[in-house]
């Protein structure tokens, strides 16, 4: 694919909203009570921290332990936008002068073949993630 799109051309939907927690069991139970179902669960380190993805209709939540819950308004950590090409989206973000929170595209071993992602900072210090689930 030729590099000729603005960053706006590299995402097609909301992918998930990220929420840190100090109590995974309580948090999962809360969202299940609202009708959300577990979509995936992964260990994140050797210290017992984990991430759980929960889904309801069009909304997916990424809930994880290890970073501490904020416990006040603004507790959502990030909004993730779905991209099919994190590398090209990263180049577009850099070329357009967005404030990058990562110096390169990041990788995690979630799902079958992993994910690729990077974060930018919005005008109110909010984090916007661009995430590709590798196919």
């Amino acid at each position: 694919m030729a590099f000729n799109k603005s960053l706006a051309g590299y995402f097609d939907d909301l992918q998930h909203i990220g929420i840190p927690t100090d109590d995974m069991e309580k948090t999962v139970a809360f969202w299940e009570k609202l009708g959300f179902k577990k979509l995936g669960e992964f260990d994140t380190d050797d210290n017992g921290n984990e991430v759980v993805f929960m889904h309801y209709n069009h909304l997916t939540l990424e809930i994880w332990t290890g970073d501490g819950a904020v416990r006040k308004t603004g507790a959502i950590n990030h909004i993730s936008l779905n991209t099919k090409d994190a590398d090209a989206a990263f180049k577009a973000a850099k070329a357009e002068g967005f404030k990058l929170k990562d110096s390169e595209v990041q990788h995690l071993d979630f799902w079958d073949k992993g994910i690729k992602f990077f974060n930018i900072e919005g005008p109110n210090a909010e984090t916007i993630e661009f995430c590709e689930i590798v196919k």
Side-chain angles (χ1 to χ4, degrees):
M1 172 190 311
F3 176 67
N4 59 5
K5 287 196 267 186
S6 73
L7 184 57
Y10 283 103
F11 68 92
D12 56 13
D13 208 345
L14 174 70
Q15 188 177 93
H16 65 263
I17 295 173
I19 305 171
T21 184
D22 292 327
D23 187 335
M24 183 63 78
E25 186 176 321
K26 181 178 178 182
T27 302
V28 167
F30 172 85
W31 290 104
E32 284 177 335
K33 191 172 182 178
L34 287 175
F36 282 74
K37 304 284 185 220
K38 273 190 192 178
L39 193 60
E41 189 169 356
F42 307 93
D43 290 329
T44 58
D45 59 27
D46 293 331
N47 298 318
N49 290 308
E50 61 184 323
V51 62
V52 171
F53 288 88
M54 300 191 75
H55 187 78
Y56 181 83
N57 285 337
H58 187 70
L59 180 58
T60 299
L61 304 175
E62 175 190 28
I63 303 164
W64 72 93
T65 59
D67 288 335
V70 176
R71 302 199 181 282
K72 64 181 181 178
T73 300
I76 291 174
N77 177 274
H78 67 277
I79 297 171
S80 179
L81 302 175
N82 189 64
T83 184
K84 291 179 173 71
D85 191 343
D87 296 310
F90 181 81
K91 288 178 187 174
K94 194 172 185 177
E96 292 181 52
F98 283 95
K99 185 174 181 179
L100 298 167
K101 296 184 84 171
D102 301 297
S103 60
E104 60 187 14
V105 174
Q106 307 295 304
H107 304 264
L108 287 172
D109 294 330
F110 298 163
W111 310 116
D112 292 333
K113 297 184 179 179
I115 64 168
K116 296 165 65 173
F117 68 96
F118 68 93
N119 298 287
I120 64 172
E121 185 175 299
N124 303 295
E126 64 273 29
T127 298
I128 300 97
E129 176 185 79
F130 290 78
C131 186
E132 173 187 355
I133 297 174
V134 179
K135 304 286 184 199

